[in-house]
Amino acid sequence: DAGITQSPRYKITETGRQVTLMCHQTWSHSYMFWYRQDLGHGLRLIYYSAAADITDKGEVPDGYVVSRSKTENFPLTLESATRSQTSVYFCASGLPNTGELFFGEGSRLTVL
Amino acid sequence: KNQVEQSPQSLIILEGKNCTLQCNYTVSPFSNLRWYKQDTGRGPVSLTIMTFSENTKSNGRYTATLDADTKQSSLHITASQLSDSASYICVVILNTGGFKTIFGAGTRLFVKA
């Protein structure tokens, strides 16, 4: 099915462990984004990518790593998870000419 | 500093009533503004886009307005339904090339029967 999918939808991990959240889109949008959403903060940009092999930091990049070897995939890795990274993570892809973002369903991460 | 502020933070209304959500922005250079609806547990979905030259745009029971002079936008919901219960997020897109967006914190709307 066309769209943007995230996995896993739910993840519980422990402090210090590495976690990777996956994001896949079928539209071939050039831009892809990772956001985190916490109560009281709204959506905050972690990293974004303008094209394959091009990534850049957003507002809150510390503790996160991204890669984009293929246009359709944009995984987000927490190399050593901390409790402050407990959040809901949203992946999005977008069309720069219209500014519309298409969001995935979110990945709820709990770090114990 | 580029900012988008939304009010109120939350709102409770009775089914069938109208409501208006506000978005004030201090963003430059402005390209366009979008309103997104986010249902609980889901990702946001675009409701409408407002460009610099547009004042009003409707999408069913949703009507967005934009005053580029005062840098204010509003989202008016007519004859609210229980399914309108959601967060509504105002997003401003900058005209800087690339894809730079500034998000508001959202308004949480509760529609009660």
Side-chain angles (χ1 to χ4, degrees):
Chain A
D1 288 348
I4 183 163
T5 55
Q6 294 183 229
S7 62
R9 292 291 313 278
Y10 302 92
K11 176 74 176 178
I12 299 175
T13 191
E14 294 177 338
T15 301
R17 291 193 179 267
Q18 183 179 81
V19 176
T20 295
L21 306 180
M22 305 300 293
C23 179
H24 176 79
Q25 55 116 347
T26 60
W27 292 302
S28 298
H29 290 161
S30 59
Y31 276 83
M32 294 189 74
F33 306 82
W34 273 106
Y35 296 90
R36 60 178 291 173
Q37 189 173 40
D38 307 288
L39 282 174
H41 287 282
L43 284 154
R44 291 184 291 174
L45 181 64
I46 303 171
Y47 269 95
Y48 69 98
S49 169
D53 296 322
I54 300 174
T55 62
D56 210 345
K57 296 178 180 179
E59 182 184 354
V60 288
D62 293 343
Y64 303 95
V65 175
V66 294
S67 62
R68 194 159 177 215
S69 57
K70 294 183 177 181
T71 299
E72 60 266 30
N73 296 324
F74 191 39
L76 176 72
T77 298
L78 291 67
E79 294 191 304
S80 179
T82 65
R83 291 195 183 90
S84 64
Q85 293 177 309
T86 292
S87 186
V88 181
Y89 291 85
F90 285 98
C91 179
S93 67
L95 302 168
N97 57 328
T98 66
E100 182 170 6
L101 291 165
F102 298 86
F103 287 86
E105 293 297 293
S107 296
R108 181 175 292 274
L109 176 67
T110 301
V111 183
L112 301 177
Chain B
K1 181 181 177 184
N2 289 320
Q3 283 187 318
V4 176
E5 295 184 348
Q6 293 187 244
S7 62
Q9 273 191 319
S10 62
L11 181 62
I12 302 173
I13 63 173
L14 291 176
E15 187 179 15
K17 298 295 185 181
N18 303 335
C19 68
T20 300
L21 314 181
Q22 299 289 343
C23 174
N24 296 336
Y25 61 93
T26 54
V27 174
S28 181
F30 176 90
S31 176
N32 57 65
L33 181 151
R34 284 186 178 271
W35 284 92
Y36 285 80
K37 179 187 179 187
Q38 184 177 20
D39 292 315
T40 301
R42 308 292 297 274
V45 176
S46 179
L47 285 174
T48 184
I49 178 174
M50 304 295 292
T51 61
F52 187 85
S53 59
E54 294 176 312
N55 298 119
T56 303
K57 184 177 286 185
S58 293
N59 178 6
R61 294 180 297 101
Y62 299 101
T63 299
T65 66
L66 177 66
D67 186 333
D69 292 330
T70 62
K71 298 188 176 182
Q72 296 181 326
S73 178
S74 66
L75 182 69
H76 184 76
I77 303 174
T78 303
S80 62
Q81 300 176 357
L82 297 178
S83 60
D84 292 331
S85 294
S87 289
Y88 293 85
I89 304 170
C90 176
V91 183
V92 178
I93 298 90
L94 278 71
N95 187 18
T96 56
F99 202 145
K100 186 165 177 61
T101 55
I102 309 295
F103 280 74
T107 292
R108 188 72 175 96
L109 175 65
F110 300 89
V111 180
K112 301 182 75 172

